[in-house]
Amino acid sequence: MRTYNSKEPFAPATLNKDRVNLEQPMRNSLKLNKDEHQREKELTDAILEYLTEHPQASDTLEGIAEWWVMRQQVRVEIKTLLKVLRQLTGNGLLEKIGYGDEALYHLKAKEDGRHPS
């Protein structure tokens, strides 16, 4: 096993988020409940995902929170939002006009042209 030498440059190509295991230390802590454990896993994934895309990045605590974590969370939220919009459109509650990133969504009118109340 190779040890890290602080004089060696960080090798971003070797970053493998699958190898980062926070499970055992988290399991050992009796204070962490399931929600806290899930949140820490999400934050870990967000940071490692950001570093995979930007291997030379460095920032302060506030910068990491604002730029690394929030950026990844927005991506996840957009994916989830798209899924919900597709479900609502498929269920006939919303209407989608256009295609791709420029598509617009709005409340689908009833047969008589009125919006449901």
Side-chain angles (χ1 to χ4, degrees):
M1 177 179 204
R2 189 173 167 188
T3 59
Y4 175 75
N5 180 344
S6 63
K7 294 180 182 177
E8 293 178 353
F10 174 66
T14 63
L15 179 62
N16 182 351
K17 71 178 184 177
D18 296 330
R19 290 179 47 202
V20 176
N21 184 358
L22 298 179
E23 299 294 324
Q24 193 59 39
M26 287 181 189
R27 251 187 239 131
N28 291 339
S29 175
L30 298 176
K31 293 182 180 181
L32 291 179
N33 65 33
K34 192 174 185 178
D35 291 339
E36 289 172 320
H37 175 75
Q38 180 62 30
R39 184 66 185 135
E40 286 186 6
K41 183 179 179 338
E42 290 169 1
L43 287 170
T44 299
D45 290 346
I47 290 168
L48 294 177
E49 191 70 34
Y50 186 88
L51 287 172
T52 299
E53 294 177 18
H54 304 91
Q56 302 301 321
S58 64
D59 215 327
T60 63
L61 173 64
E62 282 188 39
I64 291 169
E66 185 175 344
W67 295 104
W68 301 11
V69 174
M70 292 301 294
R71 183 170 183 261
Q72 293 306 117
Q73 288 176 341
V74 167
R75 283 185 175 178
V76 170
E77 289 299 317
I78 287 174
K79 289 179 185 177
T80 304
L81 178 58
L82 180 57
K83 184 178 179 181
V84 169
L85 289 172
R86 286 178 177 160
Q87 290 172 351
L88 291 171
T89 302
N91 292 337
L93 298 171
L94 292 181
E95 183 175 9
K96 177 181 174 185
I97 301 172
Y99 299 97
D101 293 340
E102 301 300 316
L104 301 175
Y105 297 85
H106 66 89
L107 189 61
K108 188 170 184 177
K110 292 183 178 181
E111 296 291 324
D112 61 7
R114 296 183 353 198
H115 289 288
S117 42

